[in-house]
Amino acid sequence: MTVATTPLPLSETFAPPSPSELAELVAEGCRTGMAMYPMGGGTSISNGLVPKRSGWGVSLANLKRTIDYPARDMTITVEAGVTMAALADQLAREGQRLPVDAPQAADATLGGVIATATSGPRRYGCGTIRDYVIGITAIDGRGTLFHGGGRVVKNVAGYDFCKLLTGSRGSLGVIAQVTLKLRPLVETTALVACELTDFDQAETLLAALVRSKTTPAAIELLAGAAWADDPVLGPTSAATKARLVVGLEGTAAEIDWMTSTLAGEWRELGVQKSHTINGAAADRLWSRLVEFPAAGEPPLAIKASVLPSAVTRFVVTALELAPGCSVQSHAGSGIVLVRVGEFTAADALRLLIAGLQPAAVKAGGSASVLSCPAGTELTHQAVWGPVRPEAAVMRAVKQQLDPAGLLNPGLASFDLR
Amino acid sequence: MIATRLLPLADELRAVVGTDGVLTAHSDLLVYECDGFVIEKNCPDIAVFPRTTEHVQAIVRLANEYDVPFLPRGAGTSLAGGCLPVGGGVMIVLVRMKQILEINLRDRYAVVEPGVVNVWLTQALKGTGYHYAPDPSSQGACTIGGNVATNSGGPHTLKYGVTVNHVLGVEAVMADGSIVEFGGPAEDPAGLDLTGLLVGSEGTLAVVTKAWVRLTRDPQGWRTMLGIFESVADATNAISAIIGAGIVPAALEMMDQGILVAVEAAFHFGFPLDAQAILLIEVDGLEAGLDRQRDRIIALCKENHAREVRLAASAAERQLLWKCRKQAFGAVGRLSPSYCTQDGVVPRTKLPHILARITEIGQKHGIRIVNVFHAGDGNIHPILLFDERDREQIARVLAASGEILDECIACGGSVTGEHGIGVEKIEFMHKLFTPADLDVMGRVRTAFNPHGRLSPAKMLPTAGACGLEQKHPGRRAAL
């Protein structure tokens, strides 16, 4: 566990060994009015918001058992503290996977990935974690252990707590156990990359990918220093403004067909040179694409969600507002990650409140801080952007599940206490 | 006859939507006494037909003012009584809100009003290379608003996911009449995923007046196969083998001999009537990968004693096969005067077991049961054949349905994969969920629907499901 840098004001940290003991712990916290901070691997805890209330750390470190893995049903039920890497290893032994990318998978837990709705490049082709959680058990802010969904892949009985808790950032309940639906491992992958000399060309190629005959798993637009010297991507020239990388997954025959088809489609759009990345080099590049938001020291990583057609405009804005930043966009899905190197808290507040957040709203979406070095404190507005009207409904839900406001107080976007 | 105290409400509603948008005569309201679940019936006091979100808002405010229940309705094709107006009140019929407001191919979404019929969107997208993936068998009639309410599935959801996987956001009129947008065309909106919660909430949390839906790229090609089996057990074992081998077909459907006979009489496809079961299997995607998937599936069917695996030879034949499948329920009318379609889910490896149990349960209760269902998802749809004029048969149908659903629960499954709880399955909720689970669900409802006027007595047993215990046919009085 890498929670050493946590900004949370923890009086004590507990790591209960079973869901029922977790429920007892939370109930005990409720009785004493103790604030509680659920913790997985600690990879997403530091986002610039520093809670005021001292409280307990509620660690899932001892909840990582596999409850049931009926591989032929392609589902698995596990405790939420399992790390993404351990889960992936277990699934791979049965030729299966959860196709959701999470940085720092050796530490990041499944529960944490669900609570933060973490995603990565494959979301374009594979969807996000919300598409894979089919059952969930959690402890709400009253110490009540409850569950939603079930263990079958199709189920509409009752309110969908899987969706309610995905992305809830620990504000409604501590996620204890999860049932996932799974996918078969893919046979092989490849990535096709090209250099872009201007951003109009980027939008042309991105728009064309919507009509491509190929079926990309990932569509990544890369810009900035972090991508300048990657030997896998090849050297850049002075004219290089950005790179476009398309990730492909499938059988060898499908990959062969898609790589040549995509190169052909790009040639027709004026791309002189593209190259295909296979094998170990492809694995390395996929890994970089997944790890980008967490890489570097200390990372200030910002995530914007905008309309796909507004991605290039937003990327240009980000490069102008934060010279020296690096950008990765899951461009097919409208997600833009901006990583800023050197900055002060004042720089960060200005960049967010006066820069990236208005730009994201203009681009049809929103922006928030993914991670921020411990020690730098940001404001709620800087981290989450302007509060939207639907936040009132979210607070009403929170009021019902955590009436005393004990779970991650003040940390969720809608929680202004 | 409308209650005197509601006459001024009807007048105020007419002032909102016009005189042609309000029904109060009992004969007019009979249409709205039930959905596809015909065992419970009750007329609303008033049916109102808004054309705009602001109309819906005004209607909801008036219903609150007069303290009467209200609920939304689409095409009424739902099968669990989700739009049964328990306690009467105002039924908000959304079929006049039927505009496709926007189709944006660059950003891969469409914006629709709730009364848009599912297939209209796919028709509007024809030739663009995109479609709307959820394809319930009733897609020619059901509305997208209704699909959102029930989180509808369909044959192709095996690969592509159900409605909730394709809804990016909704605009909703809340129980207090406020208009709120959740999500929208951009992914990952900040805060809680209330879009995900609202989809499948069966109209008990808010009235959805607009939806942003994801559009899906058309596959480059298909291989559509018909596996013909001498026994149901062989067919279900083949399903387990295909899924267990890590193949995710676009669709994997089963029809047993009982339904096959009716479908053949209706559509003359040329199904072998002596087969005990057929599997309709479709893989789609890149042409470069399809033949290999096809060959693997054929081999797995053969290993499980398929008598024959036919390939749809042309696009027209594929269309006809899907027509047979999707309209199979209509063909049931050839078998019996009434039928009850059940909806249960089991882990996919339990299909051989549950099908055998369904046969036993049917025999035990003397009810004929035929099967056509989404086999790849483990989502069974046993169709119980009966005559609704015979009260004794109804009792046996209900008993057999209950036993089948109990068996689904015993297998680790669910009592509904896509039809919903509605009023039909409220009594099963305490078998699937603990009192604590149901308490939290009740709290979530309270957050949205504090006075309980919006679609009362649905889904949760704690919501006062009184008056629904008598299970008798509504048309009894007419006989």
Side-chain angles (χ1 to χ4, degrees), chain A residues 70-75 96 117 119 123-124 128 130-132 140 142 144-161 163-164 166-169 171-172 181-184 187 203 206-207 209-215 251-255 257-258 303 305-311 331-335 363-366 384 388-390 393-401 403 413-414, chain B residues 105-109 128 130 150-151 153-154 157-159 161-162 164-165 167 174 180-183 185-197 199-202 204-205 217 220 240-241 243-248 286 288-290 292-293 343 345-350 374 376-377 379 412-421 429 432-434 436-437 439-448 459-460:
Chain A
R72 285 174 60 80
D73 287 322
M74 298 186 77
T75 62
Q96 297 175 356
S119 69
R123 62 180 287 154
Y124 184 73
T128 57
R130 101 195 261 274
D131 300 313
Y132 293 92
D140 75 4
R142 299 167 305 141
T144 304
L145 184 134
F146 69 102
H147 82 282
R151 291 191 184 182
V152 283
V153 296
K154 205 169 167 192
N155 187 1
V156 295
Y159 293 129
D160 192 344
F161 291 149
K163 304 293 181 296
L164 184 62
T166 299
S168 65
R169 303 195 73 93
S171 64
L172 302 180
K181 79 176 179 187
L182 304 169
R183 288 268 157 174
E187 188 177 300
E203 171 53 19
L206 289 173
L209 277 168
V210 171
R211 309 290 189 113
S212 171
K213 288 195 172 73
T214 65
T215 54
T251 63
E254 287 169 336
I255 296 293
W257 184 85
M258 283 196 285
K303 172 187 164 189
S305 318
V306 302
L307 289 174
S309 57
V311 160
S333 309
I335 307 297
S366 59
W384 292 116
R388 291 180 44 89
E390 62 270 28
V393 185
M394 296 172 190
R395 283 194 292 274
V397 174
K398 164 98 171 163
Q399 178 65 31
Q400 289 293 328
L401 270 69
S413 67
F414 54 88
Chain B
L105 294 175
R106 170 64 186 92
D107 292 324
R108 300 182 298 122
Y109 72 85
T128 64
Y130 277 81
T150 54
N151 191 14
T157 57
L158 174 58
K159 176 172 175 181
V162 293
V164 71
N165 306 112
V167 177
M174 308 301 285
V180 184
E181 282 181 12
F182 301 99
E187 297 186 10
D188 291 6
L192 301 176
D193 182 5
L194 296 186
T195 301
L197 179 70
V199 176
S201 63
E202 303 193 36
T204 63
L205 299 182
R217 191 88 170 104
Q220 189 181 44
S240 291
I243 299 293
I247 300 171
V248 183
L286 297 173
L290 288 176
R292 198 175 85 168
Q293 287 189 65
D343 175 34
V345 194
V346 295
R348 296 171 271 208
T349 48
K350 298 273 172 38
H374 310 310
D377 288 323
N379 186 187
S414 173
V415 298
T416 175
E418 54 186 14
H419 296 173
I421 296 295
M429 287 295 277
L432 277 178
F433 294 107
T434 66
D437 303 338
D439 172 60
V440 177
M441 287 186 196
R443 286 167 176 271
V444 167
R445 173 173 303 184
T446 300
F448 283 81
M459 193 194 273
L460 300 181

Side-chain angles (χ1 to χ4, degrees), chain B residues 222-256:
Chain B
W222 298 270
R223 298 290 183 273
T224 308
M225 288 154 272
L226 192 62
I228 298 163
F229 292 84
E230 306 277 0
S231 80
V232 169
D234 285 342
T236 48
N237 284 323
I239 295 159
S240 291
I242 292 166
I243 299 293
I247 300 171
V248 183
L252 175 43
E253 304 279 309
M254 193 187 117
M255 291 194 257
D256 72 7

